[in-house]
Amino acid sequence: MKRLSALCLVAAAMLALVRPLWAEDSIVVGVPLPLTGDQAKFGEMEKNSYLMALDEINKAGGVKGRKLELDIQDSQGKPEVARSIVENFIDVKKYPVVVGAYSSSESKQVAAVAQEKKIPYLVVTGSADDITQQGYDYVFRLNHTTEMYPEGLITFLNEVVKPKTVAILYENTDFGTSSSKSFAKVAEQNGWQVLINEGYEKGALDFKPLLQKVKSANPDVLYMVSYVMDAAKLMNDAKALRVEPKLFVGGGAGFTLPEFQINAKDAAEYVISVTLWAPEVKYPGARQYAENYKKLYGGESDYHGVQAYAAAYVLADALKRAKSLTPKDIRDAMATTDLMTPYGPVKFISFGKYTNQNKLPSFVLQWLKGQPQTVWPKEYASAPYVFPVPRWKDRH
Amino acid sequence: MSEPNAAVSANKLMDFLKELGPAFWIVVAVLALLPVVGGFLLNDYIYHLIILTLMWSIMGMAWNLLGGFTGQVSFGHAAFFGTGAYTGGLLAFKLGISAWYGLLLGGFVAVALGAVIGWICFRLRGPYFALATLALAEIMRLVANNWVDFTNGPMGIQVQRTFTTKLPYYYIVLTLAAVTYLVIRAVIASKLGYYFVAIREDQDAAEAMGIPTARYKRLSLYFSAFFMAMAGAFYMVYMGYIDPHVVYALHDISIITIMVAMVGGVATFWGPPVGALIMILIGELFRRLPWAGTAHLTFFGILLIVIIIYMPNGVVGDTHKLFGFLRRPVSRAPGPMTAEKP
């Protein structure tokens, strides 16, 4: 009998499959996002931000007098599931446009399918350079590419720090490896000698052997591409070993988050990081977005969240301007986007190898008295930078 | 070839076909005719799910030959899957040759890899072999991830997909799955199959009977690695993009492959296809439960636990439990994996 009841349970669970019913008159757009698995944290942050923007858009009258809805589905961070989702969006549900996905490997899948089916697709967080280098005319990217991340940092290093030597440590993920590659290229172009360029497995337990090498090489600048826990651990170990470059620089990712400062404590002080966005940035609505997010969801958001938030507005704007809701017209409308968002100005242009890529400046932030302050470029600065940085033994 | 020999092999073929039974032909015929007669039921989304299910069946069958029939449990079949995928990918990426050649070549590269690992590891028994394969897959992932000049590292390899429609992929993967099924079935029906099962049931007894166990375990591994790599190469050409994190994944490839075989039925011929059906199709149904939200994986996990508890031999191995009135167990020559061990 037990077996029978178990089977009944399973059967009941299957019968409970009901398609979500959308209101007749709303416009629905599909969004694949990793809501489970190891990228779930960002998926959740983006989902919250999409819903927040959606709520505002619909309160302000929606799109063409209709409500805008997002069908957000869990991709589990797997490319083949992301593909199942888009095939379903495009072929079964007939959505005219797709937005989102988190990682580059997911975004590449979605982009390839969207291009094949001639459905416009807006990349929101996937940062691998080549997504918008395929000549896809139906794929647009809102966010910075990996290549663009350190642009602000380069001018800062050239004008303020003037290093002769650099060392690079990076997590050997797609983001980390391509970041280190492009930074090594930048160093070569600027005449900085690369003393060390080494990857490590994400979530390493001990960075002391790596940092010991850095200490004996004694570079002017230590550039690190790490996620938050690794970033904090790197700085704690660097402090313990008294590694003394003129400047510690984070290549974005983990070094900008509040958790970094909480875990690294005073070892985080004076660390500089590349950042794509901070609530302090002088874009209209940036601070308000961060505050509203905190009020609504309790946690902190970062650039991933604001990318999603801005994406919803870019989408709504394109839909409003589209002559009709066919994929072709939406694509044409998106191509002529010219919109100011809390993430920065959005305009899809073709330059270099890129097609339909948004071009944005990147910033430099510095941890000062436990707070992340935008210090570069000067016109966006919320506090003056501190350089040279005191040696470990001179700090209290 | 002398006359009597030809007659003997013709007889053997007849025996094999007789034992194969109608089920195989019915399933293949239904799937082959589906796009022709049932085209209105299908769309690219359904095609995608069937293609994935067939691909996973190949992977499950490949694992099952080694893990189920020969009893050598591998926790690292992603090593072969990824090697097949990377062989295809690198052909296109480095040499500009079509990645399709990976379907065959990838198999042979994986066999070469299997030769190395089998030569070392089949001196090991039981859990030691499982651990060695686990390590192998991780090593392959780390190499592919860090040897950036050769493999493009974590940036992965992207190739242009050959077809923009699903139909060609559908028939290709269906053919591959059918061939895999037939080859594995033929292997098990041959002398090899009896050796494999003998090794699984009692390695010492097999050895005492004069079976060179290490050699036959290696042979089983070669077949298994070949088909696994073929599935990997198919993944490359079908998905168009691979990176080490995706194709050498411990959980998403190695463990799910074991689940496909376990849930369907270890050491049964139809187990892996049924397991793939459950893992892919039912998994997708659960993912789309509107009220479950992100808990869908929990519910799916519960389903798998229920299956494993009540049907420890898998859905196919324990069909008689599902339909109590079918008193005799389904044919699962040459015997289930759970046979008593001394």
Side-chain angles (χ1 to χ4, degrees), chain A residues 52 56 277-281 283-296 306 309 313 342:
Chain A
M52 192 170 125
E56 294 167 10
W277 180 85
E280 295 77 27
V281 166
Y283 291 136
R287 176 162 290 283
Q288 208 184 347
Y289 160 77
E291 278 166 11
N292 284 351
Y293 187 96
K294 205 167 178 177
K295 220 185 298 164
L296 268 173
V306 78
Y309 181 81
Y313 275 97

Side-chain angles (χ1 to χ4, degrees), chain A residues 320-386:
Chain A
K320 276 179 198 162
R321 287 183 295 104
K323 271 181 267 154
S324 73
L325 291 181
T326 59
K328 176 82 174 62
D329 283 344
I330 296 173
R331 191 217 84 90
D332 292 346
M334 211 172 256
T336 54
T337 296
D338 185 1
L339 187 71
M340 192 64 191
T341 71
Y343 184 60
V346 178
K347 214 178 210 175
F348 300 109
I349 51 173
S350 301
F351 58 95
K353 288 181 190 164
Y354 295 105
T355 39
N356 296 335
Q357 171 66 49
N358 190 20
K359 203 174 183 185
L360 292 164
S362 73
F363 306 97
V364 174
L365 70 72
Q366 187 169 27
W367 288 93
L368 296 169
K369 301 199 173 76
Q371 289 299 318
Q373 301 285 2
T374 314
V375 295
W376 195 268
K378 270 188 186 146
E379 61 266 36
Y380 294 105
S382 60
Y385 59 81
V386 176

Side-chain angles (χ1 to χ4, degrees), chain A residues 261-319:
Chain A
Q261 201 275 333
I262 292 165
N263 287 293
K265 302 198 184 67
D266 55 337
E269 197 65 7
Y270 307 119
V271 171
I272 272 193
S273 176
V274 171
T275 187
L276 305 179
W277 180 85
E280 295 77 27
V281 166
K282 287 177 186 159
Y283 291 136
R287 176 162 290 283
Q288 208 184 347
Y289 160 77
E291 278 166 11
N292 284 351
Y293 187 96
K294 205 167 178 177
K295 220 185 298 164
L296 268 173
Y297 303 109
E300 300 276 350
S301 180
D302 64 16
Y303 63 85
H304 296 101
V306 78
Q307 282 167 348
Y309 181 81
Y313 275 97
V314 170
L315 171 73
D317 170 70
L319 290 173

Side-chain angles (χ1 to χ4, degrees), chain A residues 33 35 41-54 72 289 293 296-299 301 305 308-309:
Chain A
L33 270 185
L35 299 174
K41 189 185 160 202
F42 299 106
E44 200 61 36
M45 185 193 283
E46 292 196 19
K47 184 184 173 189
N48 290 341
S49 303
Y50 279 120
L51 295 179
M52 192 170 125
L54 199 63
I72 300 176
Y289 160 77
Y293 187 96
L296 268 173
Y297 303 109
S301 180
Y309 181 81

Side-chain angles (χ1 to χ4, degrees), chain A residues 2-3 6-7 10 13-14 16-20 35-39 44 47 73-81 83-85 87-89 91-93 104-106 108-109 112-113 116-117 128 130-131 134 136 170 172-175 177-178 181 199-201, chain B residues 42-46 48-49 52 56 138 141-142 145-146 148-149 152-156 158 160-161 163-166 169 235 238-241 243 245-246 251-253 256 282-291 293-297 303 306 310-311 321-322:
Chain A
K2 249 200 266 167
R3 198 178 320 136
L7 279 170
V10 173
M14 306 236 216
L17 271 166
V18 196
R19 282 179 160 216
L35 299 174
T36 56
D38 54 0
Q39 298 156 356
E44 200 61 36
K47 184 184 173 189
Q73 293 212 8
D74 178 18
S75 67
Q76 305 169 17
K78 296 181 193 171
E80 71 265 27
V81 179
R83 183 155 173 201
S84 305
I85 294 172
E87 302 273 11
N88 182 247
F89 281 167
D91 221 54
V92 181
K93 297 186 170 167
S104 292
S105 48
E106 275 177 17
K108 281 174 185 171
Q109 275 309 323
V113 176
E116 276 172 15
K117 306 263 164 100
D130 54 0
I131 301 176
Q134 311 282 334
Y136 291 160
Y170 59 95
N172 54 14
T173 57
D174 186 345
F175 177 71
T177 310
S178 45
K181 259 193 160 176
Y200 63 85
E201 192 76 354
Chain B
L42 299 169
N43 52 49
D44 280 1
Y45 169 61
I46 307 281
H48 177 66
L49 292 178
L52 282 186
W56 277 100
E138 284 295 282
R141 183 177 65 79
L142 289 171
N145 208 24
N146 290 301
V148 178
D149 296 333
N152 207 26
M155 281 84 80
Q158 187 159 15
Q160 190 66 41
R161 291 206 277 260
F163 310 107
T164 49
T165 56
K166 289 279 189 290
Y169 294 108
Y235 182 92
Y238 175 60
M239 294 294 278
Y241 171 77
D243 66 40
H245 188 70
V246 170
H251 171 265
D252 291 349
I253 304 290
I256 300 293
I282 312 271
E284 177 72 8
L285 286 178
F286 270 69
R287 198 184 59 69
R288 297 187 52 203
L289 288 176
W291 45 264
T294 50
H296 64 89
L297 282 179
L303 173 71
V306 168
Y310 291 101
M311 307 169 99
K321 288 194 183 168
L322 258 187

Side-chain angles (χ1 to χ4, degrees), chain B residues 40-154:
Chain B
F40 59 95
L41 291 168
L42 299 169
N43 52 49
D44 280 1
Y45 169 61
I46 307 281
Y47 271 129
H48 177 66
L49 292 178
I50 302 179
I51 289 170
L52 282 186
T53 305
L54 288 167
M55 186 188 87
W56 277 100
S57 320
I58 299 176
M59 294 157 71
M61 287 189 279
W63 185 91
N64 195 30
L65 180 65
L66 182 68
F69 289 108
T70 321
Q72 308 300 311
V73 174
S74 157
F75 274 92
H77 255 44
F80 306 116
F81 182 83
T83 301
Y86 263 96
T87 307
L90 287 171
L91 282 179
F93 184 63
K94 285 281 169 193
L95 304 174
I97 300 171
S98 166
W100 285 99
Y101 291 108
L103 284 180
L104 263 185
L105 195 62
F108 290 116
V109 175
V111 168
L113 179 70
V116 176
I117 193 73
W119 179 63
I120 302 168
C121 293
F122 278 137
R123 298 143 196 248
L124 305 174
R125 277 195 198 189
Y128 303 104
F129 174 71
L131 288 176
T133 52
L134 184 72
L136 175 71
E138 284 295 282
I139 291 168
M140 295 303 292
R141 183 177 65 79
L142 289 171
V143 168
N145 208 24
N146 290 301
W147 195 359
V148 178
D149 296 333
F150 184 58
T151 62
N152 207 26

